[in-house]
Amino acid sequence: MIHLTQISKQHGSRLLFQDASLQILPASRNGLVGPNGAGKTTIFRLITREEEPDKGEIACAKKTVIGYFSQDVGEMSGRTALAEVMAAAAEITLLGEQIQAMEAAMSLPMSDDEMASLLERYGNAVEEFEHRGGYDLEARAQAVLTGLGIGPDAYLRPVESFSGGWKMRIALARILTLNPDVLLLDEPTNHLDMESILWLEEWLATDFKGALLMTCHDHEFMNRIASRIIEVADQTVTTYGGNYDFYRREREIRREQLLASYRRQQEMLAKEEEFIARFAARVSHAAQVQSRMKKLEKIERIQIPAEQKVMRFDFGEAPRSGDMVAEMTDLAKVWVHQGSAGPQEKSVFGGVSGVIRRQEKIAVVGVNGAGKSTFLKALAGQIEPSSGALTIGASVLTGYFSQHSMELLNPEATVFETVQAVMPTGNIGVIRNLCAAFLFQGDEIDKRIAHLSGGEKSRVVLATLLAQPLNFLILDEPTNHLDIQSREVLLEALQKFTGTVVVVSHDRRFLRLLVNRVLLIDHGALRSYEGDYNYYLRKSAADQGQADSFATPAFS
């Protein structure tokens, strides 16, 4: 369907690809992976012809419709959410209008040749219209919006009234509704909650019939959807025939084989060079020396790719807290907002009582808008509860991570200054080492916060947490802007953390491998599942349908 052959591409002095090739086959499910800056986004831009290769060829079948979702959604205004989504399929709408015009023309008198020509054009147009899903365009747009968390009550809201994260969902809905032959998705799960991720996963697996190429930081999502992994690294592109877990295993096997070949070649080269050095001055060995020198010149030297840099840290031994970390008694939070009829109250959660115990690792789950982040803010002391009591236990030292904490970073401060501010007595070497653990090395520690990406800001906030002696971590979507490797490092560090953790995350693998207790927020009440994430999934599925299953707000 799409073939990139012997592609070379350079940005300034940086060479991204040298004679790289890849194929996107019909109906294939391809995951695109590689370190930041390797050229993944450039692959997308080459396919969409936003960029051209310096060398090589890009071939694409005629009439192939390509849909590209990127993190740069551009400006949205002047339309409702539904109209914005349907606008992506303007060509389909136009084709429908042309079909109607041709149907009207068929009732008019014309020659046999004209009618035959019209019928041929009409047949082609109807076939294309059906292929593009023109007959159910509006219904499909509504279904996609609903699946991504924008329900019927928001279809007619102006797009400019949505926040940035919700605009990303609308932009994603535009591309999915287009139903293209080739779907390019750049981090589609970044701004989605668990329910929307599950819906998208199901849609890609069952409804979408075209070819898919995607980048994604969600390990489980990538594993479930991709059956072929395309790695961009070291100026080349390598294809692996399997899911993400297969790719990781196979990549390690190939690297070990390459290292073994490299060692064998180095031993051979050393022997040949030793022979040349020993007998170079002897006339009797001149022919042999010349022969071996020519042999060495022709040998293609094996290159060992540099290891990808990843974060390396752990939280160390947490200071001992009391066995009771937090106790809640009839805790409630009500937001008051100004409505058309005056101040109106909205209950987020209420009647919550219970205890969080030392060394528990707890996931807080619930549908979008259930109040998970609000509950974490109350727990972290970021907001005051409307009623009830929250008691923090003895010797509890709390660290709080959220997207809001990223926004609170001083944009004018450097990475070094930001970390130094939370450990003012630390010497320069200690601070530089901590920054390096989060991949800020050399001149990068002098980069200003304003110039950092979302992932880099996440690493800075994590570094500031690590710089403090904490034993109670409250983490609201800590993996959102982290790549898969960074998520793995954070997961391992939290698994070893000897303090207490409460986390909200839509990364299912992260929760499966970390938590030993789950709190479900449902209709303002909090229900406790005394087991890991898999236990929660089984138990909540069994509880579903029981009218009184969530009647008790308290947990123990």
Side-chain angles (χ1 to χ4, degrees), residues 159-197:
V159 288
E160 51 266 37
S161 69
F162 289 86
S163 67
W166 288 98
K167 284 182 179 178
M168 295 291 283
R169 297 190 188 209
I170 293 172
L172 178 58
R174 280 172 55 100
I175 304 302
L176 301 186
T177 299
L178 182 61
N179 199 23
D181 300 309
V182 179
L183 182 58
L184 309 178
L185 298 179
D186 189 5
E187 299 299 342
T189 64
N190 260 10
H191 296 273
L192 302 183
D193 55 26
M194 186 74 78
E195 290 70 33
S196 298
I197 289 174

Side-chain angles (χ1 to χ4, degrees), residues 297-362:
E297 288 173 2
K298 292 178 182 179
I299 289 176
E300 184 175 345
R301 307 296 175 104
I302 296 173
Q303 301 293 325
I304 301 298
E307 284 279 7
Q308 184 178 339
K309 293 181 179 179
V310 296
M311 296 191 301
R312 300 192 184 281
F313 74 95
D314 61 63
F315 288 99
E317 186 67 26
R320 179 73 157 79
S321 72
D323 290 337
M324 186 277 288
V325 172
E327 183 174 15
M328 291 152 284
T329 306
D330 291 327
L331 199 67
K333 182 61 184 179
V334 175
W335 290 120
V336 179
H337 65 279
Q338 191 65 33
S340 57
Q344 296 181 350
E345 293 187 348
K346 179 185 177 183
S347 175
V348 185
F349 57 82
V352 172
S353 298
V355 172
I356 293 174
R357 300 175 287 266
R358 187 175 77 88
Q359 293 189 327
E360 285 186 319
K361 292 184 169 65
I362 299 171

Side-chain angles (χ1 to χ4, degrees), residues 275-276 278-293:
F275 181 91
I276 291 168
R278 180 185 297 178
F279 298 109
R282 297 189 185 183
V283 177
S284 59
H285 288 74
Q288 289 178 308
V289 168
Q290 286 297 318
S291 174
R292 297 195 182 202
M293 289 177 67

